[in-house]
Amino acid sequence: MVKRYQKKQNSTMLMSITFIDLDNFKYYNDTYGHDIGDLMIESFGKLLKKVYRRVDFVSRYGGDEFVILLPSTNCQESVRAAERVKEELVAQNYFIPAIEEAVKHPVHIPPDKYLGFSTGICSNFDVEPNYDMERTMANADKALYYTKEHNKGGI
């Protein structure tokens, strides 16, 4: 999509890529089963679609990872969008009400096991050449793993 646009416009479009990896996802699969794990993935995907713009491309990347392409968006704007995701996750009480509805009884989830996420972000204007979307994507992925290792739950 990006390459096709750039060829037509004979220019490079500003694009940020956000990688998201869920934190504590294994806890839900192990404690409540894969059906609840699936519920968490589905609920988080819906949350992303709610927070991000219609022009943004939101996709599950595999397992408990998601990728979002944000056209005409720099890194600072992408960080703010990821912060809105955190705010919405808190507003939805980490999907605990959805879990309770699914299992038909109250659940106690320790706060250190609440569903969270870590984020890595890169803009194509932060790489050379700035039309290299593969490098942009690789850098966003590296940023995600740096966050997971050094600041779990960070952006």
Side-chain angles (χ1 to χ4, degrees):
M1 169 187 86
V2 175
K3 284 182 183 178
R4 195 171 346 136
Y5 174 85
Q6 290 175 173
K7 283 181 184 176
K8 279 185 177 180
Q9 301 301 317
N10 198 23
S11 65
T12 301
M13 175 194 333
L14 172 64
M15 175 81 65
S16 287
I17 298 177
T18 299
F19 270 85
I20 292 178
D21 184 71
L22 296 180
D23 297 327
N24 298 321
F25 177 72
K26 185 175 178 347
Y27 169 82
Y28 295 90
N29 262 344
D30 292 351
T31 305
Y32 299 104
H34 291 281
D35 288 344
I36 296 302
D38 291 346
L39 173 70
M40 302 304 276
I41 293 286
E42 181 181 341
S43 298
F44 194 78
K46 288 178 182 176
L47 183 149
L48 293 176
K49 293 293 265 183
K50 178 180 179 181
V51 170
Y52 284 95
R53 306 168 301 181
R54 291 177 66 145
V55 298
D56 299 331
F57 179 79
V58 176
S59 177
R60 183 175 176 196
Y61 194 61
D64 62 345
E65 286 191 10
F66 295 84
V67 65
I68 302 99
L69 305 178
L70 299 100
S72 303
T73 307
N74 64 34
C75 281
Q76 293 80 12
E77 293 164 331
S78 294
V79 166
R80 181 62 194 126
E83 289 168 346
R84 286 194 312 271
V85 172
K86 285 187 181 282
E87 292 164 5
E88 186 61 27
L89 186 59
V90 170
Q92 292 191 28
N93 197 19
Y94 306 94
F95 309 128
I96 294 169
I99 295 169
E100 291 177 334
E101 184 178 321
V103 299
K104 309 264 189 276
H105 61 78
V107 297
H108 172 72
I109 298 171
D112 67 323
K113 295 297 182 185
Y114 286 172
L115 187 73
F117 63 93
S118 297
T119 307
I121 297 171
C122 186
S123 164
N124 64 318
F125 277 53
D126 293 329
V127 302
E128 285 293 328
N130 63 11
Y131 58 81
D132 189 343
M133 295 309 295
E134 290 175 19
R135 179 175 284 171
T136 304
M137 194 162 181
N139 284 354
D141 193 38
K142 286 178 189 173
L144 168 64
Y145 283 97
Y146 181 88
T147 300
K148 292 286 277 187
E149 286 182 25
H150 297 93
N151 185 25
K152 188 175 177 179
I155 300 171

